[in-house]
Amino acid sequence: MKLVLLGPPGSGKGTYSSRIAKEFEIPHISTGDLLREEVKKGTELGERAKEYMNRGELVPNEIVLEILKQRLQQPDCERGFILDGFPRNLEQAKILGTIATIDLVIYLDVPDEIIIERLSNRRICRECGAIYNLKSMPPKVPGKCDVCGSELYQRDDDKPETIKNRLEVYREQTKPLIDHYKEKGILAEFKIEKEIPVEEGVESIKKLIQEKLNK
Ligand code: AMP
């Protein structure tokens, strides 16, 4: 099963993808995580990607594709995967179409107020990448990860000025993908109008996937 989770920054792509990946026993592939890993390791690709990421802009396609292709070649992707944060523009979607047949694109439709609130309160574990929200999903011990006890941090691009830019980039470059996948008949929409427990969201997404599988 090859899935894509599409939606604005802060729509819950990371949280839901990791849960759905576990449920369906497929790898969760986040291009944002792969890029942050390259930045952390200080590779040449990471160095090039960093400046774009810090400004909240899209990293050039060739860098993202290079990293993604390497990841998709790993044996755990044979059973399928869930992509989070890719594709993010039409060119990436077209290239993806040439390297994989996507079964379903789940679009998380979340209003701006919720997004801004979520991104500014988001904290992430430095070690295991677990995602928290200081208001709606706080860690048990402030500043520490419930899973592994490591330190939590705020992503540089979750600061207010960069959030604004990321939302603009999303509207201009990523939103057109909704129509692209609608036309292909593989888009399922999940509208989130107010904060809901993660569990509830996971169940709704699982239903969308089951409906597709039963067709
Ligand atoms: P994310 O963790 O998905 O919010 O991504 C964080 C940042 O990584 C984005 O703001 C972009 O700078 C970069 N990025 C992640 N995925 C892509 C992609 N598919 N294409 C271009 N840039 C990306």
Side-chain angles (χ1 to χ4, degrees):
M1 187 169 43
K2 300 187 175 92
L3 304 171
V4 167
L5 228 62
L6 181 69
S11 55
K13 297 190 298 293
T15 304
Y16 290 136
S17 297
S18 73
R19 293 293 308 272
I20 296 293
K22 277 201 194 100
E23 298 268 348
F24 291 91
E25 296 180 2
I26 49 175
H28 164 206
I29 301 176
S30 150
T31 43
D33 284 349
L34 293 175
L35 287 164
R36 278 185 288 278
E37 200 53 40
E38 295 291 318
V39 173
K40 202 166 146 191
K41 287 193 285 191
T43 63
E44 197 204 316
L45 284 179
E47 282 303 307
R48 284 170 61 201
K50 194 162 76 179
E51 47 180 309
Y52 297 94
M53 296 170 80
N54 286 344
R55 290 198 296 262
E57 289 169 13
L58 293 187
V59 170
N61 288 348
E62 74 268 14
I63 299 180
V64 184
L65 279 160
E66 162 98 34
I67 293 171
L68 180 70
K69 279 185 182 161
Q70 281 173 19
R71 180 65 187 87
L72 291 180
Q73 273 162 13
Q74 289 175 26
D76 62 339
C77 293
E78 274 164 23
R79 292 190 59 237
F81 48 76
I82 180 159
L83 284 179
D84 152 15
F86 189 95
R88 255 188 161 94
N89 58 30
L90 266 175
E91 197 188 332
Q92 291 182 2
K94 286 184 183 152
I95 294 170
L96 178 63
T98 67
I99 52 181
T101 306
I102 300 301
D103 298 297
L104 188 65
V105 177
I106 298 153
Y107 164 46
L108 304 175
D109 184 5
V110 184
D112 278 6
E113 312 85 79
I114 295 190
I115 286 168
I116 291 161
E117 201 277 332
R118 278 188 188 169
L119 290 179
S120 43
N121 286 299
R122 176 159 74 178
R123 296 293 182 275
I124 296 167
C125 172
R126 261 192 210 289
E127 280 308 311
C128 72
I131 304 168
Y132 297 87
N133 181 292
L134 295 183
K135 286 196 181 151
S136 59
M137 237 200 311
K140 291 193 183 96
V141 178
K144 299 272 179 234
C145 177
D146 294 353
V147 184
C148 69
S150 302
E151 183 203 0
L152 303 183
Y153 78 106
Q154 180 176 35
R155 276 170 46 173
D156 282 339
D157 59 353
D158 278 348
K159 312 242 158 96
E161 221 8 72
T162 322
I163 291 178
K164 205 170 139 248
N165 203 14
R166 287 164 69 203
L167 285 173
E168 267 164 34
V169 168
Y170 170 76
R171 265 182 224 112
E172 280 168 21
Q173 303 197 46
T174 313
K175 240 184 153 186
L177 296 183
I178 298 169
D179 282 341
H180 173 78
Y181 285 119
K182 229 183 233 171
E183 278 161 25
K184 289 193 174 299
I186 55 169
L187 190 90
E189 292 188 46
F190 176 33
K191 201 169 175 62
I192 302 170
E193 276 159 303
K194 56 177 176 49
E195 278 299 358
I196 50 164
V198 173
E199 235 19 80
E200 207 179 294
V202 172
E203 284 310 311
S204 303
I205 294 173
K206 268 167 68 183
K207 253 190 220 147
L208 293 175
I209 297 171
Q210 303 290 8
E211 276 167 22
K212 171 76 187 179
L213 290 179
N214 292 337
K215 263 189 197 163

